[in-house]
Amino acid sequence: MPESVGMILTLIMNIALFSTANYLAVKLSTRNVKRRIIAGVVFLLFTPVIFFSTLYLGFTWDDTGWGAGIMTVIYTGLYLLNGLILLLSAIHIYFKK
């Protein structure tokens, strides 16, 4: 399999995983502060797992490592920001009551 196909598959896997996790976190924790905090903490705790899995899959297809490194930093940053946003939205919901 060519390198470009492998990187595209890794990219699609990351997008699908991020979208599914974000949808479930927001959908299951609607208007519930405790669930929203747990979802934010879970996102923050799974950030290293996403980092190493993306890095490993990226290095499988990219021999030089630049593409894998850049893709890993981007997706890890997205997961980290998403966890922080979920925690901040829980704080907003808590003080809005």
Side-chain angles (χ1 to χ4, degrees):
M1 185 178 336
E3 290 180 11
S4 60
V5 174
M7 289 299 280
I8 290 173
L9 287 175
T10 305
L11 185 71
I12 290 172
M13 186 244 355
N14 275 329
I15 291 171
L17 184 64
F18 181 76
S19 301
T20 304
N22 195 28
Y23 175 76
L24 288 175
V26 172
K27 186 71 172 176
L28 295 176
S29 66
T30 305
R31 299 279 182 208
N32 192 338
V33 177
K34 289 181 184 179
R35 286 186 184 172
R36 181 78 50 116
I37 290 173
I38 291 171
V41 169
V42 167
F43 259 94
L44 291 177
L45 289 177
F46 274 112
T47 300
V49 174
I50 297 301
F51 176 80
F52 288 116
S53 65
T54 304
L55 191 63
Y56 175 74
L57 287 173
F59 273 140
T60 305
W61 307 111
D62 187 21
D63 294 333
T64 60
W66 282 101
I70 291 170
M71 189 166 57
T72 300
V73 168
I74 289 171
Y75 279 105
T76 304
L78 285 175
Y79 274 88
L80 186 67
L81 283 175
N82 196 28
L84 292 174
I85 288 171
L86 281 172
L87 287 175
L88 289 175
S89 68
I91 292 169
H92 178 70
I93 290 173
Y94 179 74
F95 285 120
K96 192 174 182 180
K97 287 182 179 182

